[in-house]
Amino acid sequence: MQIPHDTRIALDAVVDLVNTAPDSMPGGPPADGLADVGALAAFAHDHAISDVTDLGPGDLPAVHAVRARFAEVFAAPEAATAAKLINELVAAAGTTPRLTDHDGYDWHVHYFAPGASLADHLTADCGMALAFIVVAGEHERLRRCEAPDCGRAFVDLSRNRSRRYCDSRTCGNRLHVAAYRARRKEAAG
């Protein structure tokens, strides 16, 4: 699956955004990864979100609302539901596609209007990245980690769509080790 650079960046941002929610890690810390405006500013900086100016207290609940809607997309049981949610999100953001070449990147499309709020910016760009996945017939690549104590969102970009865990070195390895120990205990039993 060929994914343009700007779409990949937006997919990474939406996954990270969804995973900041307190409920993204069942059994994990209940803390919100975007608990205050400072954390929101750090998120925007860490993801190199362009055209973000001063953030205020009103930006936080708006981004929290967008995050919740994106979580619904990852939970959508089929492409039609995901498409409906994405259409609603993108329409609410008032998308204004425009070509740009900033920060050393070649020409790419921004979907947010100039001067848009951070919530509208995330909604437009991340919503269009998710739309790209659905249009490509790849909705099943939008997943939640199958580890019982996790549940983080991820986009399965493996060649054969076989990825089950958000991170094979942590969640996947932990489950494999537990299964190995259980087999050894049963064999020794």
Side-chain angles (χ1 to χ4, degrees):
M1 179 173 183
Q2 192 86 14
I3 299 176
H5 175 73
D6 54 318
T7 301
R8 178 61 195 258
I9 288 173
L11 288 172
D12 291 343
V14 72
V15 164
D16 290 347
L17 177 65
V18 169
N19 289 336
T20 63
D23 61 349
S24 69
M25 300 253 321
D32 189 329
L34 296 177
D36 56 35
V37 176
L40 186 59
F43 180 88
H45 177 267
D46 292 347
H47 289 84
I49 298 174
S50 59
D51 294 340
V52 174
T53 55
D54 297 327
L55 297 173
D59 289 302
L60 195 59
V63 170
H64 284 175
V66 167
R67 176 179 68 185
R69 297 298 311 271
F70 280 136
E72 292 177 32
V73 174
F74 278 86
E78 75 279 326
T81 302
K84 179 181 181 294
L85 292 165
I86 292 167
N87 283 338
E88 291 170 359
L89 278 160
V90 171
T95 57
T96 306
R98 62 189 166 98
L99 289 167
T100 184
D101 67 339
H102 61 87
D103 298 332
Y105 295 112
D106 285 334
W107 289 104
H108 59 282
V109 179
H110 279 187
Y111 295 97
F112 59 93
S117 70
L118 178 57
D120 284 346
H121 179 129
L122 289 169
T123 301
D125 273 359
C126 294
M128 291 306 296
L130 292 172
F132 175 85
I133 297 294
V134 172
V135 166
E138 304 287 351
H139 164 260
E140 71 277 359
R141 290 183 183 269
L142 304 177
R143 298 193 176 158
R144 291 289 188 156
C145 184
E146 291 182 19
D149 60 341
C150 188
R152 292 174 60 86
F154 68 94
V155 179
D156 178 5
L157 296 177
S158 66
R159 191 172 287 190
N160 62 356
R161 298 175 194 92
S162 63
R163 190 169 156 202
R164 297 174 48 208
Y165 307 110
C166 64
D167 186 346
S168 61
R169 292 176 308 225
T170 55
C171 291
N173 191 43
R174 189 175 63 248
L175 289 176
H176 291 290
V177 168
Y180 170 77
R181 288 180 180 158
R183 286 191 306 270
R184 286 196 50 160
K185 183 177 179 180
E186 184 178 309

